[in-house]
Amino acid sequence: MKYISTRGQTAPMDFSDVLLMGLAPDGGLMLPESYPQVDSATLNDWRQMSYPELAFAIMRLFATDIDEADLKDIVERTYTESVFGTSDITPVRKLEDNLYILGLSNGPTLAFKDVAMQFLGNAFEYVLKKKDERLTIIGATSGDTGSAAEYALRGKDNIEVFMLSPQGKMSAFQRAQMYSLTDDNIHNIAIKGMFDDCQDIVKALQQDADFKEKYSLGTVNSINWGRILAQVVYYFKAYFAVMDSAVQDSDKKVSFCVPSGNFGNICAGHIAREMGLPIDRLIVATNENDVLNDFFNQGAYNPRPADKTYVTSSPSMDISKASNFERFIYLLLERDTDRVHSLFDGVKSGKGFDLSDVMQTVSSRYGFAAGKSAHSDRLATIKDLYDNYNDLIDPHTADGVKVARELQREDEIIICAETALPVKFAETIFEAVGPIDIERPEHTKGLEDLPQRVVELDNKPSLVADEIRKVVAPSA
Ligand SMILES: *Cc1c(COP(=O)(O)O)cnc(C)c1O
């Protein structure tokens, strides 16, 4: 299996090379040349598999240049009950008739990003060892991504992590999660500024080609192909969990509703569907930052600048440019790389695009639909589920449940992705249901009382570069 770029100007590559990459050299995103097809006999074989067995069965189709025994070892070390709290890894629970919740947030940082990031940590370490290389990960975070990356990469050989966060802008829980890590290879840097300032510093250092090369800079952002691939697995697992009683009924399909920001999670659902998993609709749920809702309903994609992005109570979706979107548009435009290139060059300079002429294909051929949820919807949904089912969900998941209920057709089975646990967003939970005791997993009890380790710096790239130089030896 070779990988190619959505912009067509990058020579085909192997999985283990793509794994360590951010953007393709031509500015596009890397994709497999084709999606392996899964027939109903294979689906039946996979149905009884444990999570790591299923992950191996799926990933081996894409990671063909990795030794099979080694890949098996990586997924077996990644998807364990001790890391994810349950041997199901991503358990499904029934909410009401035809509506299910897919629990993706039982990993170390209580958000769905752990499912992919834990795999990436082990896969990075393995590939770096094989290549005899090292990597200095620098990233900017407003909460979930940074902590998931740190918990995945802590203690890994040949990897140093420098994570920039805006000083005083994260919740007490999020701060404690990151800053309490004591592993030698984890470096927390609080920047006196906003999240965008942190991101600008990361960009500045990445763009300094000399510095980048000398210190082997890399990233683990949501466009990473390894993350998308790892997420494909739980769409299959969830389908099997819900369709368990309907083995014979191969015509029956399920739909998924996914709270979306960067189009990463639902892009994995799209790939599962392309592989032949019987998915009916893929429903994109947005918050007030609704550029994807607009696209999937009207066909116009108009990303907003960072300063026009709303700050909401589902903050991990406060994104106005969906960085994985290009992967879908590439297929939609029938692999017309020149057109993809010109559309996304436009996006880069602040211009949107209009594909309303092919919207019929978007829904009928690819199954996409979308809806939107706002602060009051979030609160009402959290309260409704708590009062009626004694089920507490986080604000992002609430956006998904709200949209799923709104768009659900008669007899349509919808599985809603639970992208974080409520304890991470206690303030909004209290606003919705009053001051209750929110359950937390054992390993996070007393987290806020642990000593914290963080370096505070002024908002200047050179100061961050100095921190990196203190730790990482330059290559010759
Ligand atoms: C990152 C995140 C999302 C959005 O996921 P995308 O893959 O960027 O669409 C939704 N909810 C939570 C809690 C997240 O951390």
Side-chain angles (χ1 to χ4, degrees):
M1 171 74 73
K2 290 282 180 186
Y3 288 80
I4 50 176
S5 164
T6 50
R7 306 215 177 158
Q9 303 293 314
T10 299
M13 286 184 173
D14 285 330
F15 176 82
S16 53
D17 296 318
V18 171
L19 187 70
L20 301 176
M21 278 173 55
L23 284 179
D26 62 11
L29 302 182
M30 298 304 282
L31 268 180
E33 271 177 334
S34 64
Y35 293 121
Q37 295 301 300
V38 174
D39 58 19
S40 55
T42 310
L43 282 179
N44 265 325
D45 283 349
W46 287 1
R47 181 175 297 279
Q48 303 303 333
M49 286 183 175
S50 68
Y51 198 99
E53 285 168 348
L54 182 62
F56 173 67
I58 293 172
M59 289 182 181
R60 64 187 280 274
L61 304 174
F62 292 92
T64 49
D65 63 322
I66 297 203
D67 178 79
E68 292 215 338
D70 293 342
L71 181 64
K72 195 151 183 281
D73 176 60
I74 292 170
V75 295
E76 279 173 359
R77 282 188 288 120
T78 302
Y79 297 112
T80 65
E81 181 165 355
S82 69
V83 175
F84 287 94
T86 140
S87 61
D88 277 348
I89 310 299
T90 59
V92 174
R93 62 183 190 269
K94 183 172 178 174
L95 198 57
E96 57 199 23
D97 276 351
N98 287 341
L99 198 63
Y100 296 80
I101 304 260
L102 166 59
L104 300 178
S105 307
N106 303 307
T109 73
L110 318 186
F112 88 95
K113 293 187 173 72
D114 288 326
V115 182
M117 209 71 97
Q118 288 289 319
F119 166 74
L120 211 58
N122 289 325
F124 268 24
E125 187 177 52
Y126 169 82
V127 170
L128 288 172
K129 229 169 244 171
K130 281 261 162 191
K131 291 177 183 275
D132 194 21
E133 287 175 11
R134 53 168 199 166
L135 199 59
T136 303
I137 297 290
I138 57 167
T141 187
S142 54
D144 289 345
T145 309
S147 55
E150 290 191 351
Y151 279 77
L153 298 171
R154 61 189 293 198
K156 296 282 185 262
D157 293 338
N158 303 321
I159 301 176
E160 297 288 333
V161 180
F162 294 82
M163 194 55 68
L164 279 53
S165 50
Q167 189 181 36
K169 302 289 190 302
M170 297 190 298
S171 73
F173 185 91
Q174 288 175 317
R175 273 201 307 275
Q177 241 181 358
M178 290 178 57
Y179 300 168
S180 66
L181 288 180
T182 54
D183 307 78
D184 288 341
N185 72 329
I186 301 295
H187 312 277
N188 285 302
I189 300 177
I191 297 292
K192 294 173 187 152
M194 305 294 287
F195 170 65
D196 285 329
D197 298 318
C198 299
Q199 224 168 10
D200 287 345
I201 293 177
V202 171
K203 262 190 218 151
L205 295 179
Q206 290 277 3
Q207 279 164 7
D208 180 341
D210 193 43
F211 186 81
K212 182 174 175 170
E213 164 94 37
K214 220 163 163 182
Y215 294 95
S216 316
L217 297 191
T219 57
V220 284
N221 48 23
S222 82
I223 57 172
N224 180 281
W225 168 253
R227 282 179 66 179
I228 305 279
L229 175 59
Q231 290 166 1
V232 170
V233 177
Y234 54 68
Y235 284 87
F236 281 86
K237 196 83 180 89
Y239 168 80
F240 294 137
V242 167
M243 299 306 273
D244 207 27
S245 50
V247 190
Q248 311 307 338
D249 190 356
S250 57
D251 289 344
K252 192 81 183 143
K253 295 181 175 179
V254 298
S255 295
F256 286 89
C257 183
V258 184
S260 300
N262 270 319
F263 201 73
N265 194 350
I266 200 153
C267 184
H270 156 66
I271 291 166
R273 195 176 184 278
E274 287 302 299
M275 290 172 70
L277 185 67
I279 295 177
D280 180 9
R281 295 200 293 168
L282 289 164
I283 304 171
V284 177
T286 73
N287 65 14
E288 291 88 335
N289 296 293
D290 55 357
V291 288
L292 286 176
N293 176 55
D294 285 350
F295 175 78
F296 284 106
N297 282 300
Q298 279 117 42
Y301 181 60
N302 288 307
R304 300 199 196 96
D307 62 348
K308 296 240 168 55
T309 306
Y310 301 110
V311 176
T312 78
S313 50
S314 44
S316 302
M317 290 147 64
D318 290 349
I319 286 159
S320 291
K321 206 183 265 178
S323 53
N324 277 292
F325 198 39
E326 189 170 328
R327 289 197 162 104
F328 169 61
I329 297 299
Y330 168 78
L331 274 202
L332 177 65
L333 297 178
E334 295 171 358
R335 302 172 183 254
D336 182 345
T337 51
D338 289 342
R339 188 145 177 237
V340 170
H341 197 157
S342 92
L343 291 184
F344 282 92
D345 264 355
V347 167
K348 206 168 163 195
S349 55
K351 270 202 318 258
F353 56 76
D354 190 331
L355 297 176
S356 45
D357 54 323
V358 287
M359 282 320 280
Q360 189 52 39
T361 313
V362 171
S363 56
S364 60
R365 161 72 181 83
Y366 291 101
F368 278 108
K372 168 182 174 175
S373 160
H375 182 67
S376 58
D377 299 316
R378 228 162 276 144
L379 296 183
T381 306
I382 291 169
K383 182 163 169 48
D384 179 63
L385 265 55
Y386 185 67
D387 288 350
N388 290 310
Y389 303 125
N390 194 26
D391 195 318
L392 197 61
I393 55 171
D394 103 291
H396 306 79
T397 310
D399 287 330
V401 171
K402 186 262 180 183
V403 169
R405 281 172 156 178
E406 191 170 78
L407 300 191
Q408 190 164 34
R409 295 168 175 162
E410 210 182 323
D411 292 334
E412 184 179 24
I413 298 173
I414 304 185
I415 302 173
C416 296
E418 177 174 55
T419 54
L421 291 193
V423 68
K424 284 195 105 167
F425 303 96
E427 261 176 48
T428 305
I429 301 298
F430 296 153
E431 196 182 336
V433 300
I436 56 167
D437 231 359
I438 308 176
E439 199 183 301
R440 8 166 117 199
E442 203 55 45
H443 67 92
T444 62
K445 286 182 182 156
L447 190 69
E448 289 92 330
D449 303 326
L450 295 174
Q452 299 190 358
R453 202 173 59 137
V454 57
V455 176
E456 293 173 4
L457 294 180
D458 284 330
N459 176 16
K460 276 198 206 123
S462 63
L463 296 176
V464 176
D466 288 343
E467 286 300 310
I468 294 174
R469 284 191 197 98
K470 273 188 213 166
V471 175
V472 182
S475 61

